[in-house]
């Protein structure tokens, strides 16, 4: 299978040429990076070309690269990842594009794969990525009164608003959060083998 994907990646580079900024095989799957200006053209060819025949869009998800790699990330903050599948040819491809700005914007692929509808709405809801051309881009998981995008890495753990029932107004109302922000400290994993030594002393080793 690895040889098959290596050959397929070669064909992707040959046919899509300068429209693809990177194409490699990792963990048995093709990974394609494309500038967002070429996104629709590349997606159309990946679907229509018989050699690729990516007739199914399995998933679309957002990625926030804020503080990625200990803060050394220098590219656009947001990425959009498309998982593609060919039923006819029995292979999968992963396509990625990047975007920046506020709001970050990429083109909707709904005209190519109708299944992108709810996936793009989810990425918009959770990351604030705007999919230009989507016919009904609105929140799908959070409430209508929700403020912010909860999968962004700078989103406060306690959120921005809370909701409660107001007996005087006889309806649910939104108000600023009434709890203090809390930061969870990560558990420290030590690399000095103290736990392995303890297991050996207690007879917990494999020997």
């Amino acid at each position: 299978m690895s040889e098959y994907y290596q050959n397929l990646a070669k064909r992707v580079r040959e046919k899509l040429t300068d429209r693809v900024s990177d194409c490699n095989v990792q963990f048995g799957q093709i990974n394609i990076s494309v500038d967002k200006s070429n996104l629709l053209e590349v997606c159309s060819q990946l679907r229509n070309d018989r050699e690729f025949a990516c007739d199914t869009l399995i998933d679309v998800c957002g990625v926030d690269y804020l503080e990625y790699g200990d803060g050394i990330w220098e590219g656009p903050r947001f990425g959009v990842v498309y998982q593609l599948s060919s039923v006819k040819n029995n292979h999968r491809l992963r396509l990625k594009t990047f975007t920046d700005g506020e709001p970050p914007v990429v083109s909707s692929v709904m005209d190519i794969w109708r299944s992108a509808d709810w996936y793009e709405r989810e990425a918009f809801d959770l990351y604030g990525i705007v999919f230009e051309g989507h016919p009904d881009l609105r929140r799908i998981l959070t409430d209508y009164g929700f403020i912010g995008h909860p999968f962004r890495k700078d989103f406060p753990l306690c959120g921005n608003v809370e909701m409660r029932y107001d007996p005087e107004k006889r309806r649910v109302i939104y108000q600023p959060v009434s709890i203090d922000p809390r930061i969870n400290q990560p558990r420290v994993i030590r690399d000095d083998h103290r736990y392995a030594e303890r297991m050996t002393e207690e007879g917990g080793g494999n020997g």
Side-chain angles (χ1 to χ4, degrees):
M1 182 59 73
S2 178
E3 182 179 355
Y4 172 84
Y5 277 116
Q6 291 290 351
N7 291 332
L8 187 61
K10 179 180 178 181
R11 296 298 292 152
V12 169
R13 291 189 291 267
E14 290 174 351
K15 287 195 170 184
L16 299 178
T17 60
D18 58 348
R19 289 169 291 169
V20 170
S21 55
D22 187 30
C23 180
N24 59 71
V25 179
Q26 290 183 328
F27 307 110
Q29 185 167 345
I30 293 180
N31 299 277
I32 304 170
S33 296
V34 57
D35 188 273
K36 67 178 185 178
S37 62
N38 296 321
L39 177 65
L40 295 184
E41 185 178 359
V42 169
C43 287
S44 295
Q45 185 159 353
L46 290 177
R47 184 197 64 180
N48 298 330
D49 191 307
R50 293 183 179 182
E51 192 167 7
F52 309 130
C54 294
D55 48 18
T56 305
L57 175 68
I58 301 175
D59 187 33
V60 178
C61 66
V63 183
D64 183 358
Y65 287 94
L66 184 68
E67 299 180 359
Y68 177 82
D70 296 326
I72 61 175
W73 179 258
E74 297 181 352
R77 175 176 173 178
F78 297 98
V80 183
V81 182
Y82 304 81
Q83 301 286 351
L84 309 178
S85 173
S86 171
V87 175
K88 176 183 178 182
N89 296 335
N90 191 27
H91 60 228
R92 293 190 177 188
L93 288 79
R94 180 186 294 116
L95 178 69
K96 181 185 291 186
T97 192
F98 299 92
T99 185
D100 221 334
E102 192 55 60
V105 179
V106 297
S107 297
S108 171
V109 297
M110 270 194 63
D111 288 342
I112 302 172
W113 298 288
R114 295 297 296 176
S115 60
D117 188 355
W118 283 17
Y119 297 141
E120 291 182 347
R121 285 179 58 189
E122 181 182 47
F124 163 71
D125 192 355
L126 301 180
Y127 291 94
I129 300 171
V130 173
F131 293 87
E132 194 172 41
H134 192 289
D136 187 24
L137 194 63
R138 54 192 168 91
R139 293 187 182 272
I140 191 172
L141 295 176
T142 61
D143 194 77
Y144 291 114
F146 195 89
I147 296 177
H149 304 284
F151 275 21
R152 289 190 176 192
K153 292 183 178 178
D154 54 0
F155 185 81
L157 293 178
C158 60
N160 296 303
V161 296
E162 62 185 25
M163 54 187 297
R164 66 175 177 85
Y165 179 76
D166 190 313
E168 296 181 358
K169 297 181 179 179
R170 297 183 178 182
R171 63 179 176 84
V172 172
I173 64 170
Y174 295 90
Q175 63 185 35
V177 291
S178 56
I179 61 175
D180 295 328
R182 186 182 69 180
I183 300 177
N184 291 334
Q185 296 295 329
R187 184 179 63 171
V188 176
I189 305 298
R190 304 185 185 277
D191 298 323
D192 56 6
H193 306 293
R194 65 180 64 188
Y195 303 112
E197 294 172 1
R198 183 181 303 172
M199 286 183 63
T200 302
E201 293 171 0
E202 295 175 354
N206 293 330

